[in-house]
Amino acid sequence: MCLGIPGEVVEVLPDRPELARVKVSGVRRAINVGLLENDPPRPGDWVLIHVGFALSKIDEEEARAVLRFLEEIGQAYTDEVDALRQSMIE
């Protein structure tokens, strides 16, 4: 199963504007935001992440609802967060 998980943008990397640091369930990781070049995220924005790429911007209410749902489904969410921890974009 493939999931998109919400993350809050903490910063856009100044020397690499296609990358942003996000916070997902306590994990901070750099992700690629290049797919959102027409509406780039800023700190405080929420994005839907899959395999290290931000696929879309979402509002905070939707992000929190998705996080609640993912926590309820259990293992698939845990697996996705573990995959995020292991991914590295430098």
Side-chain angles (χ1 to χ4, degrees):
M1 174 190 274
C2 296
L3 296 174
I5 55 174
E8 183 179 9
V9 176
V10 176
E11 70 173 321
V12 175
L13 303 182
D15 57 332
R16 306 244 349 242
E18 77 281 7
L19 300 180
R21 193 163 315 282
V22 297
K23 183 170 53 174
V24 178
S25 297
V27 177
R28 288 181 185 239
R29 186 67 76 218
I31 63 163
N32 189 302
V33 294
L35 296 173
L36 305 178
E37 67 184 350
N38 292 333
D39 186 17
R42 293 175 287 167
D45 286 344
W46 287 83
V47 293
L48 194 61
I49 306 163
H50 178 66
V51 196
F53 289 85
L55 302 177
S56 63
K57 287 170 60 172
I58 58 175
D59 64 40
E60 185 174 358
E61 183 178 330
E62 182 179 2
R64 298 216 182 274
V66 170
L67 285 169
R68 278 192 302 275
F69 171 76
L70 292 173
E71 288 169 356
E72 289 172 4
I73 65 171
Q75 190 60 49
Y77 175 66
T78 301
D79 292 347
E80 190 72 12
V81 171
D82 288 344
L84 181 65
R85 282 190 180 107
Q86 294 171 15
S87 70
M88 285 277 205
I89 298 177
E90 297 293 333

